[in-house]
Amino acid sequence: MYCGMRIGGEKERRDFSALEKRRFEALRLLKRGIRPTEVARRVGVARQTIIGWKKKYAVGGPAALEASGGRGRKSRLTEEQKESLRRILAEGPPETTQGKWVWTCAAVAQLIQKEFNISYHPGHVWKILVGLGWNSQTAAFQVEAPEPISAGDEDPKRKNGASRS
């Protein structure tokens, strides 16, 4: 499996403060007697989300709607290490695979181990790469472009000059 990551835009971070403000705005609208469907439309969420927030507030009060911060485990790579990794990856991989320069998740995991002495499972490396702004839509850089076939050239795979259709 190829990671096939390339440099793209910076990954968008969730603004937990803005999300909290949206929940309290929804609560304010509900307290004014506005129906959950209309509240959902105004704050840009599903009606079921509004109902869930209403239930959380009923059980836990305002604390139940407060921002809880980021989810998941913090990265073991520092910001400086991530920036260094970004530069190394942008230089391209040391080997080619089937005529293309590609970073596999396993190769990136080995690179992180070698450069920073931090071990990551290859199956989790994609999360780091996405965080660096890479994506899996492109398989990196092509080393050799195939020569174009002109109209007069015969395709060696076709016997007796069979037509292409």
Side-chain angles (χ1 to χ4, degrees), residues 11-105:
K11 183 180 178 186
E12 188 177 306
R13 304 267 183 223
R14 289 191 289 176
D15 182 354
F16 294 105
S17 174
L19 295 173
E20 177 183 297
K21 286 178 185 174
R22 182 167 64 173
R23 288 189 292 273
F24 282 107
E25 172 64 13
L27 181 64
R28 187 182 65 74
L29 294 170
L30 287 170
K31 286 182 175 181
R32 286 183 34 206
I34 299 173
R35 297 169 89 52
T37 304
E38 177 61 17
V39 172
R41 188 189 65 73
R42 288 186 188 186
V43 299
V45 299
R47 180 186 57 83
Q48 294 86 344
T49 302
I50 298 299
I51 291 169
W53 290 346
K54 185 177 176 181
K55 287 178 182 177
K56 281 184 177 184
Y57 180 79
V59 172
L65 298 181
E66 290 177 356
S68 60
R71 299 276 191 241
R73 186 178 191 175
K74 298 288 183 204
S75 176
R76 289 178 277 158
L77 290 172
T78 65
E79 291 303 314
E80 294 79 23
Q81 289 170 326
K82 288 179 187 177
E83 188 55 40
S84 177
L85 178 62
R86 182 193 317 261
R87 284 192 300 274
I88 294 168
L89 293 172
E91 291 171 6
E95 301 175 6
T96 63
T97 302
Q98 298 176 353
K100 293 183 179 182
W101 289 2
V102 294
W103 281 111
T104 64
C105 290

